[in-house]
Amino acid sequence: MSDSVRIPPGSRPDTVPRVPRQRAPSWARPDPVDELAVTMEEFIAAAVHPDEIAALLESDGLSDDQIRERYGVKNSFALAETLYDRVERRYPDPGGPAPDPWRADLLGCLLRGVVFALPGLAYVLGAPLFTGPGDFGLPAGTVPLLAGALCGWTWNQGLAHRAYAWLGLGDRPAAGRALLLGAPAGALLGSLVALACAGGAGPAVVVFAAGQSCYLAAATVLLVTGRERLLLAALAPMATGAVLSLVDPLPQTASLALLLVSLTAVTALGLREVAPALKDGPGWTAGLVALLPLGASGALPAPCRPSAPRLLGSLPYALFGLATGVLVLYAALGDVLAGEAAGAIAAPAAVALTLSMGPAEWLLYRFRGGGLAGLRSSSTVRDFRRITVLTAARCLAAYLAVLLASALAVPALWPHAPVPGGARLTGLLLLGVVLWTGLLLQSFGAVTAATTVCCAAALAQTLLLVTRTGDPHLTATAVYGTAAAVQTALVCALLGRATAHR
């Protein structure tokens, strides 16, 4: 034991002889599952389910036999569950803010609100044409104009939905052909309705109503095709003349010329948008095919050709346009219906509602974006429902703030218009709730529910006015409040479900 270790001849003194390494027993070897977990640690830590790990194992070519031999488990799914349990979850943080597919241009939405409101200035220039006896206590020529406008709103809402349905299917030529046939048909129908309701109104009123119907049809084409800026430019001459006439009335010839210039420009721009459908397609027959549920356009190859959207699918949107149009008209005519002087007609209320539609559209996009963010951040159904309700409440409050500011600002610029207050202002804000929640439900595909509520509200208010039940302002407030409560409950019930935000 005390002798020195013998060194082989020729070796250096500090050389230690190599001792053969003994083979470790099987029980002392590293666990192959642990070694695999270390190798795949980054991927396993980010996995949300063992099936992700199983898919990776199978993609690496590991068969169940190899897994049983190497790791002592039954198959890839059992190995994946073992690996998933042994590695702590570490989800990577996103590199930046998540993309928002619902981000909308605020300026573009505001521009649409202005475009919606500007046509109302045409009535300022056309006022000298409105002659004849008044009906139902309304100024001369009001009935045929309102009848034509309601008809146009109804028809063009349905037409716009049908064109958007074709665009959603990727068939732009079919959308153009639907507009090519549907827009002139709507203009003709609106003109005929105005003529039927003319009564003792002068011929100039009927001609103005026909021009109104033509404008609604052409403007629908431009709005569906995203030409808001062109529409704004076409309306500029009429709007400028109307503003100048509020300061110093223009000669009647100049007023009519400005009206014709803007109407001609809008009509020409609308025709330019649908002209390719007339030139490249088979013509009016294809337009009828695209407008009615007879089949798809022939522009796409047969294997890629989509089936035509259902015609009845556009009916709820048309009825929604009719119902909301009736409600807005009642708000505009509230003072006259209450027996007050015709000069105090509450047209500023309708202007405020129309202007607010631009911010309303932008807030709808913000809600959709907020719902998507809620899907990412919430971990339970209850959390998601709470986030959705809070987002809807914030967006609705913002819209009501815009509507309130518009309702107070427009009368300040409107000659001899009283500032709304009391029941009138309350009813206007409740009507704003009805319109915004209805549009929100419509954007999520719940158009039938929104249309049912709005049609019921319009019918109830009509019956109350016809039977002269109660004060018109108070009954309108009650009707709007009931409809607003029902639609708000629908929003909370339907949009609190994650599947509604697909």
Side-chain angles (χ1 to χ4, degrees), residues 241-256:
V243 172
L244 293 177
S245 67
L246 291 174
V247 179
D248 186 16
L250 299 177
Q252 186 172 353
T253 304
S255 298
L256 294 177

Side-chain angles (χ1 to χ4, degrees), residues 333-345:
L333 303 176
D335 294 321
V336 174
L337 298 174
E340 300 177 12
I345 189 170

Side-chain angles (χ1 to χ4, degrees), residues 400-410:
L400 292 180
V402 172
L403 179 58
L404 178 61
S406 302
L408 297 177
V410 172

Side-chain angles (χ1 to χ4, degrees), residues 299-366:
L300 299 177
C304 304
R305 192 176 301 166
S307 59
R310 295 184 307 110
L311 183 62
L312 289 179
S314 300
L315 181 59
Y317 293 87
L319 293 178
F320 182 82
L322 173 63
T324 54
V326 170
L327 293 175
V328 170
L329 286 182
Y330 283 153
L333 303 176
D335 294 321
V336 174
L337 298 174
E340 300 177 12
I345 189 170
V351 175
L353 283 169
T354 307
L355 284 173
S356 70
M357 286 297 102
E361 181 179 348
W362 184 77
L363 288 168
L364 290 176
Y365 282 110
R366 296 310 308 141

Side-chain angles (χ1 to χ4, degrees), residues 364 367-368 371 439-447 495 500-502:
L364 290 176
F367 177 81
R368 297 302 298 264
L439 292 173
L440 180 59
L441 291 170
Q442 184 182 134
S443 69
F444 276 88
V447 62
L495 304 188
H501 297 257
R502 291 174 296 183

